[in-house]
Amino acid sequence: MARAEDDTWDLANSVGATATLVAAARAAATKRPQPVVSDPFAEPLVRAVGIDLFNRVATGEFEGDDGALGIPRMTDMFGARARFFDDFFAQVTDAGIRQVVIVAAGLDSRSYRLSWPAGTTVYEIDQPEVIEFKTTTLSKIGAKPTTEHRTVGIDLRSDWPAALRAAGFDDAQPTAWLAEGVLIGFLPPQAEVRLLNNVIALSAKGSHLAADHGSVIGSSDDSQEQAQKITDALARHGFELDYAELIYPGEHTDVAAHLRDRGWHVIRYRLHDLLTAAGLPELRTADQQGPANNVGLVTAELK
Ligand code: SAM
């Protein structure tokens, strides 16, 4: 079903299911002999959602599958991406940042698994059902946040800054923002620009942002064909999700250029930089033409 302005979801359908898939890849990456990321909460969260295919990805049973889903490569890519953003938080908190906002947090468990300096507050924004599911599930297994953790259940296409402020966010303090896996086509292009402009308006001097951006599915015939292959492969393995329909069509925002044009200092990365930094194999030629190639990454600072 095509996206609608006010569509909602949980972790087993629509865009919510992508959060579960990414968490399953992090769980699999955590089980690797020399893991690049350690996310012990990913597997219990994925199991609690209960999609059989994603459970099998999380446990590593799908390691052998190298069909359209390309699970081993996905495990590397999402593992390297998680590691890159973990390192980003280590660097900015070392530099003194104590206010963090993770937008579109999904099943991100950094508030529970990273070691944060005393006095750090981590805010997480996502759809209410997503936030509620994660906090309840982690509480049931006895997990405790490692820092002050505040959740904001709201749609990012609506007036989220008011809700963030109501939760205690202080725009006089520098902030580290993370947008992982959302500015890649999951918001309408105008909502991306609004989100970035809100981030800019809420950012005191010394703030940082890290994100991936672009569109996982381009408009070319090749891209559409690839998306269809993913949809078909998911269905073959028992999960119905029209992958192409999740993505808003059109030109998506070049986050690095948007911030640079507004005075932020930006550094651009490509996925292969992250893989190399994590000591993982290069992208195969097929992946270089796939969704991975349409996505760039950025870290930015307002000096
Ligand atoms: N950042 C997490 C990670 O990397 O594991 C989750 C990424 S997942 C691919 C995309 C996330 O974006 C989902 O959790 C989804 O609920 C969230 N999202 C997408 N559109 C949203 C919206 N309009 N409002 C709130 N959350 C949204």
Side-chain angles (χ1 to χ4, degrees):
M1 204 170 58
R3 302 292 309 273
E5 234 173 74
D6 54 354
D7 54 351
T8 59
W9 50 85
D10 58 25
L11 286 149
N13 64 54
S14 183
V15 202
T18 66
T20 310
L21 177 57
V22 176
R26 278 197 299 271
T30 300
K31 287 189 157 57
R32 288 266 172 88
Q34 282 156 341
V36 298
V37 67
S38 172
D39 186 347
F41 302 111
E43 186 178 339
L45 284 164
V46 170
R47 282 183 180 283
V49 175
I51 299 168
D52 179 60
L53 169 62
F54 296 170
N55 287 350
R56 286 184 283 140
V57 171
T59 54
E61 249 177 85
F62 249 76
E63 267 294 300
D65 169 90
D66 206 15
L69 289 180
I71 296 295
R73 296 304 297 147
M74 206 185 278
T75 301
D76 279 353
M77 290 187 229
F78 290 131
R81 189 180 76 175
R83 166 66 175 272
F84 177 74
F85 292 133
D86 282 3
D87 290 347
F88 163 76
F89 281 130
Q91 280 156 20
V92 296
T93 53
D94 273 358
I97 297 266
R98 295 293 178 266
Q99 181 166 258
V100 168
V101 181
I102 303 178
V103 301
L107 295 177
D108 180 324
S109 65
R110 290 188 174 91
S111 307
Y112 295 77
R113 67 179 178 82
L114 295 186
S115 157
W116 299 95
T120 306
T121 303
V122 180
Y123 296 88
E124 291 188 342
I125 308 178
D126 207 301
Q127 285 266 347
E129 278 200 60
V130 171
I131 293 277
E132 172 65 21
F133 181 88
K134 180 171 66 181
T135 24
T136 309
T137 305
L138 289 177
S139 155
K140 274 190 201 149
I141 63 167
K144 297 216 170 12
T146 49
T147 192
E148 177 68 23
H149 175 225
R150 299 190 191 163
T151 55
V152 184
I154 192 164
D155 195 302
L156 285 164
R157 293 164 294 187
S158 68
D159 184 15
W160 59 267
L164 182 63
R165 283 183 203 279
F169 176 87
D170 175 9
D171 66 8
Q173 256 196 69
T175 302
W177 302 88
L178 172 64
E180 180 181 20
V182 67
L183 298 172
I184 54 173
F186 291 136
L187 293 176
Q190 322 83 279
E192 291 175 345
V193 170
R194 251 193 337 265
L195 186 144
L196 287 172
N197 290 344
N198 280 325
V199 164
I200 292 167
L202 292 170
S203 289
K205 212 165 156 192
S207 294
H208 293 255
L209 174 138
D212 47 358
H213 61 110
S215 175
V216 273
I217 303 176
S219 49
S220 70
D221 288 350
D222 274 2
S223 260
Q224 293 296 324
E225 204 178 299
Q226 183 122 22
Q228 190 56 46
K229 279 189 185 156
I230 294 174
T231 300
D232 294 345
L234 287 169
R236 265 199 314 280
H237 294 294
F239 187 59
E240 298 291 336
L241 182 77
D242 191 335
Y243 190 63
E245 290 283 6
L246 297 182
I247 302 297
Y248 284 93
E251 248 334 270
H252 285 274
T253 319
D254 180 336
V255 174
H258 191 91
L259 292 173
R260 189 199 52 220
D261 293 348
R262 285 151 188 84
W264 290 56
H265 293 251
V266 305
I267 306 178
R268 290 179 183 270
Y269 305 84
R270 304 296 306 180
L271 190 58
H272 73 83
D273 300 325
L274 276 52
L275 290 164
T276 308
L280 291 167
E282 294 274 315
L283 288 171
R284 301 171 316 175
T285 316
D287 291 321
Q288 284 167 11
Q289 275 126 35
N293 197 43
N294 299 327
V295 172
L297 296 105
V298 59
T299 58
E301 180 181 3
L302 181 62
K303 290 199 177 167

